Amino acid sequence: YLEYRKGWQRIVKVLGVKQARKSKGAVYAWLYRNDRPWLLSINADYHTKSTSRCQKVNWNERDFSYARKALRIIIKSELDIEHPQRTKTWILTNFKNKSSVEKWLAKLPLTNKIIEKYAETTPEYQIRRITRSLINGDRRHTSKLWCLMRMSGLSKERIAPLTRQFIELLLELSWVRGPTTSIEDTNK
């Protein structure tokens, strides 16, 4: 017993329990079978404390960092009128670690708030498409409402109420000519 005990005590002091078990498995096995209470009491003194994963992450710091990244993505794309719709998914896709951000979004309140606030809604995207057509299109074609709608890739069935108001405003300001002063008369 004594030679096994002394040998185990020497090695466990130097290496710790886990490494000692790996290097001197036979001694550990003998002590476990023949002198278990002593072995467990000695090992308890030399166990290293493991830290939990959840305690390693500083969520406030990570949230602030991701929020800054989200703002950079949004600002970079803000002036580009040709861009696809800036949905929540599109913003998250531009992160290098998209799935990690998406998975822990509940623990990232500032990032989540920024993404929710700056994600483009369907009406906003439709208005941007119309604006893009007005800016990039030929004045002869964009002055007619049906041409503008076609260039924007929109149909009256898919128009959101906010977009409808925008088009009505364009008609009032005479930016666009329609058959009458209502979008309802388009595509008849």
Side-chain angles (χ1 to χ4, degrees), residues 66 69 73 87-105 108 111 115:
Y66 285 163
K69 285 180 189 176
I73 291 166
T87 60
K88 182 177 179 178
T89 305
W90 180 85
I91 294 168
L92 288 171
T93 303
N94 283 282
F95 277 89
K96 288 180 182 174
N97 49 348
K98 172 196 181 247
S99 52
S100 176
V101 177
E102 199 169 26
K103 179 179 180 182
W104 298 110
L105 210 50
L108 307 166
T111 305
I115 290 172

Side-chain angles (χ1 to χ4, degrees), residues 12-180:
V12 86
K13 281 180 186 175
V14 176
L15 299 177
V17 177
K18 190 170 186 176
Q19 291 300 320
R21 275 182 65 183
K22 285 182 180 178
S23 65
K24 298 289 184 184
V27 175
Y28 177 84
W30 191 92
L31 286 168
Y32 189 82
R33 287 186 203 114
N34 299 302
D35 200 3
R36 188 177 303 172
W38 178 87
L39 177 67
L40 296 177
S41 69
I42 289 296
N43 285 353
D45 296 339
Y46 294 101
H47 271 291
T48 56
K49 303 256 193 256
S50 65
T51 56
S52 172
R53 276 195 132 208
C54 295
Q55 294 172 348
K56 289 182 182 179
V57 177
N58 182 343
W59 288 107
N60 289 333
E61 186 178 309
R62 185 172 287 186
D63 187 24
F64 187 71
S65 169
Y66 285 163
R68 286 180 41 209
K69 285 180 189 176
L71 282 172
R72 272 191 235 120
I73 291 166
I74 292 161
I75 289 168
K76 185 179 174 186
S77 69
E78 191 67 32
L79 295 175
D80 185 7
I81 203 162
E82 300 291 331
H83 231 277
Q85 187 175 1
R86 292 175 197 83
T87 60
K88 182 177 179 178
T89 305
W90 180 85
I91 294 168
L92 288 171
T93 303
N94 283 282
F95 277 89
K96 288 180 182 174
N97 49 348
K98 172 196 181 247
S99 52
S100 176
V101 177
E102 199 169 26
K103 179 179 180 182
W104 298 110
L105 210 50
K107 290 189 176 192
L108 307 166
L110 181 60
T111 305
N112 194 22
K113 184 112 176 153
I114 287 171
I115 290 172
E116 292 289 332
K117 180 174 173 69
Y118 291 103
E120 196 172 43
T121 63
T122 301
E124 291 169 339
Y125 181 53
Q126 288 177 345
I127 290 170
R128 186 161 57 90
R129 286 165 64 180
I130 291 170
T131 306
R132 178 179 60 207
S133 297
L134 284 169
I135 291 170
N136 296 341
D138 184 354
R139 183 69 182 147
R140 290 175 297 158
H141 299 300
T142 57
S143 64
K144 296 180 183 124
L145 183 57
W146 69 269
C147 286
L148 179 63
M149 299 282 284
R150 180 175 281 177
M151 287 177 68
S152 303
L154 299 171
S155 67
K156 73 176 184 181
E157 293 83 23
R158 293 184 295 173
I159 297 281
L162 184 65
T163 310
R164 188 176 305 280
Q165 289 174 350
F166 179 73
I167 292 171
E168 296 292 338
L169 182 65
L170 288 175
L171 288 168
E172 274 181 45
L173 296 173
S174 299
W175 277 59
V176 183
R177 285 180 289 129
T180 63

